[in-house]
Amino acid sequence: MSRTLYSLCGSDLSRPFSPHCWKVVMALKHKGLSYSERPLPFTAIPDIENGATRTVPLLRDGDRLISDSFAIALYLDDAYPDEPTLFGGEGGRAMARFVEGFSQTVIHPAITRIAIMDIHDMLDEADQAYFRRSREQRFGMPIEEVAAAREQEIAAFPGKFTPLRHMLNFQPFIGGDGPLFADYILFGALQWLRITTGSVHLPQDDPAYAWYERCLDLYDGEARKVA
Amino acid sequence: MSRTLYSLCGSDLSRPFSPHCWKVVMALKHKGLSYSERPLPFTAIPDIENGATRTVPLLRDGDRLISDSFAIALYLDDAYPDEPTLFGGEGGRAMARFVEGFSQTVIHPAITRIAIMDIHDMLDEADQAYFRRSREQRFGMPIEEVAAAREQEIAAFPGKFTPLRHMLNFQPFIGGDGPLFADYILFGALQWLRITTGSVHLPQDDPAYAWYERCLDLYDGEARKVA
């Protein structure tokens, strides 16, 4: 069966950077499912699969089309129950939404303010115009103003990982002894930050950094291949 | 079999307030296990059960003695597998540690700064002396200074619940359709805040407040009985 993951890139097709798409890459690897990835610039997304989506990730799995990273993970776990679980049961399925909430509302806003100009600069001209327009509409200010607090955000960034550090006193992954989709949720955010800015902005002796490195090591270092 | 939960109170035995003890109350109710609660002032804790613990909750279950709220929840789930699960599988067991991390490192420090003088004032004289000494050692400053940022902490408090609000867009409890121990972890923090200060300091139209109210309604309003 043919499986295609549509993801997001800038001018360089070899450096897909979307946090949500990275969650799905890791979920597919976790499930041991083969796929081909098709990274797209922002402005090409509306044209794929007969206008099926305005956002990526979009997964084509045979005759199925699924968008939204969490929905894709739920789909994969239901469609391939014999492959390793992404959630570890009903409780894990529910609590992964809390981890998503933490990632989306605490970590993503900080990364946006740190990386927004880097992201802009990675894009082709037409995508830069789209990105500026859509983000300035969302934030109600020029993207340069969103980026104004960059240095303060970088200084405050490690402090946001205290919940993860507490947890790492008890276990190596959010999933416990091994990673689950909840790990990939938070990992995707840091992967986005690293690929767009060149650093995850965590100290090298930080247990949260060590956890990120453990995720980079998974699946033959799949996520490390994009520098 | 005789089951006793040793918990924490001030001068008023009928108003136990420890967040960690409330987690265990809710876990015992969740499991449908009968028990008697024995609230103790701080300075009485070292004398119970032949000096078994310096902190509560402490649960005696027949010939077993277990301390630490998370350890007690794990014990209850293992010892009573036929009663409703507190974790919903291995993934939930692991991810509850992340929720604990969030509660302990994001919510508890704020509550400490809001409630520390209220807690002090609830205690008998000998316990006030113990509380002041131990907290001033922990924080390296007079408890009045810890409380100095009280009003700012109250103003910032609702903002800390964005991860929960994101999750509540998808489901009514951290556990999904119904509560699990992860709910009781965060609930315990707000119960502590309400009993010591008279308010959870969340707006009445806040989905996070509605979630707290849902928890208060559980088990015939068990947690609402302490005003």
Side-chain angles (χ1 to χ4, degrees):
Chain A
M1 191 161 69
S2 158
R3 214 173 277 119
T4 303
L5 170 62
Y6 297 96
S7 67
L8 182 72
C9 65
S11 308
D12 186 347
L13 289 175
S14 72
R15 303 181 66 235
F17 60 81
S18 153
H20 307 293
C21 297
W22 274 106
K23 296 177 199 174
V24 177
V25 166
M26 299 301 274
L28 286 162
K29 291 284 169 186
H30 184 103
K31 282 285 188 188
L33 298 169
S34 64
Y35 65 99
S36 60
E37 183 169 350
R38 205 178 136 195
L40 300 157
F42 280 108
T43 52
I45 295 169
D47 298 330
I48 55 169
E49 296 283 1
N50 300 311
T53 187
R54 298 175 59 87
T55 60
V56 288
L58 177 72
L59 180 70
R60 171 163 287 286
D61 190 17
D63 58 1
R64 292 290 308 268
L65 266 179
I66 314 103
S67 63
D68 179 87
S69 59
F70 206 101
I72 291 171
L74 291 172
Y75 163 78
L76 291 174
D77 231 35
D78 290 339
Y80 303 97
D82 296 337
E83 305 304 331
T85 176
L86 282 163
F87 294 101
E90 287 303 313
R93 217 169 246 247
M95 285 174 232
R97 279 291 188 197
F98 184 84
V99 177
E100 184 184 71
F102 176 77
S103 186
Q104 300 270 113
T105 71
V106 177
I107 304 301
H108 277 224
I111 293 178
T112 297
R113 287 186 286 270
I114 295 171
I116 195 164
M117 293 312 302
D118 299 279
I119 298 169
H120 175 271
D121 295 346
M122 289 171 74
L123 307 177
D124 278 338
E125 208 168 313
D127 290 287
Q128 286 188 347
Y130 161 82
F131 184 76
R132 178 179 289 277
R133 192 171 60 248
S134 63
R135 268 49 182 179
E136 294 191 346
Q137 192 165 13
R138 184 187 300 174
F139 299 118
M141 63 179 80
I143 54 175
E144 286 80 1
E145 270 185 47
V146 176
R150 187 179 198 269
E151 293 309 314
Q152 293 100 293
E153 285 292 342
I154 288 173
F157 195 66
K160 298 186 191 295
F161 286 81
T162 53
L164 185 72
R165 272 180 222 111
H166 170 94
M167 186 213 77
L168 291 169
N169 290 326
F170 300 95
Q171 58 203 38
F173 290 101
I174 304 176
D177 292 334
L180 291 174
F181 188 63
D183 288 274
Y184 307 146
I185 289 172
L186 198 54
F187 170 78
L190 289 180
Q191 185 75 340
W192 174 37
L193 179 60
R194 182 177 66 83
I195 293 170
T196 58
T197 72
S199 169
V200 291
H201 301 284
L202 295 172
Q204 300 235 337
D205 61 354
D206 184 339
Y209 182 79
W211 163 83
Y212 176 69
E213 285 280 322
R214 280 195 292 281
C215 292
L216 283 178
D217 288 339
L218 295 168
Y219 316 120
D220 302 319
E222 178 69 21
R224 207 187 281 282
K225 289 175 191 160
V226 178
Chain B
M1 192 162 68
S2 156
R3 215 172 276 120
T4 304
L5 171 61
Y6 298 96
S7 67
L8 182 71
C9 63
S11 307
D12 185 347
L13 288 175
S14 72
R15 303 182 66 235
F17 60 80
S18 153
H20 308 293
C21 297
W22 274 106
K23 296 178 199 174
V24 177
V25 166
M26 298 301 275
L28 286 161
K29 291 284 170 186
H30 184 103
K31 282 286 188 188
L33 298 170
S34 64
Y35 65 98
S36 60
E37 183 168 349
R38 204 178 136 195
L40 301 157
F42 280 107
T43 51
I45 295 170
D47 296 330
I48 56 169
E49 296 282 2
N50 299 313
T53 187
R54 297 174 61 85
T55 60
V56 288
L58 177 72
L59 180 71
R60 170 162 287 285
D61 190 17
D63 59 0
R64 293 290 308 269
L65 267 179
I66 315 103
S67 63
D68 179 87
S69 60
F70 206 102
I72 291 171
L74 292 172
Y75 162 78
L76 292 174
D77 232 34
D78 289 339
Y80 304 98
D82 297 337
E83 306 304 331
T85 174
L86 282 163
F87 294 102
E90 287 303 313
R93 217 169 246 245
M95 285 175 232
R97 279 291 188 196
F98 185 84
V99 176
E100 184 183 71
F102 176 76
S103 186
Q104 301 270 112
T105 70
V106 177
I107 305 300
H108 277 223
I111 293 178
T112 297
R113 286 186 286 269
I114 295 171
I116 195 163
M117 292 312 302
D118 300 278
I119 297 169
H120 174 270
D121 294 347
M122 290 171 72
L123 307 178
D124 278 338
E125 207 169 312
D127 290 287
Q128 286 187 346
Y130 162 82
F131 184 76
R132 177 178 290 276
R133 191 172 60 249
S134 63
R135 269 49 181 179
E136 296 192 344
Q137 192 166 13
R138 184 188 300 173
F139 300 117
M141 62 179 80
I143 54 175
E144 286 79 3
E145 269 185 48
V146 176
R150 187 177 198 269
E151 294 309 314
Q152 294 100 292
E153 285 292 342
I154 288 174
F157 195 66
K160 297 184 191 297
F161 286 82
T162 54
L164 185 72
R165 272 181 222 110
H166 169 95
M167 187 213 77
L168 291 169
N169 291 325
F170 300 95
Q171 59 202 37
F173 290 100
I174 304 175
D177 292 334
L180 291 175
F181 188 63
D183 288 274
Y184 307 146
I185 290 172
L186 198 53
F187 170 78
L190 289 179
Q191 185 76 340
W192 174 38
L193 179 59
R194 183 177 66 82
I195 294 169
T196 57
T197 72
S199 169
V200 291
H201 300 284
L202 295 173
Q204 299 234 338
D205 61 353
D206 185 339
Y209 182 78
W211 162 83
Y212 176 69
E213 285 280 321
R214 280 196 292 282
C215 291
L216 283 179
D217 288 339
L218 295 168
Y219 317 119
D220 301 319
E222 178 69 21
R224 207 186 280 283
K225 289 175 191 161
V226 178

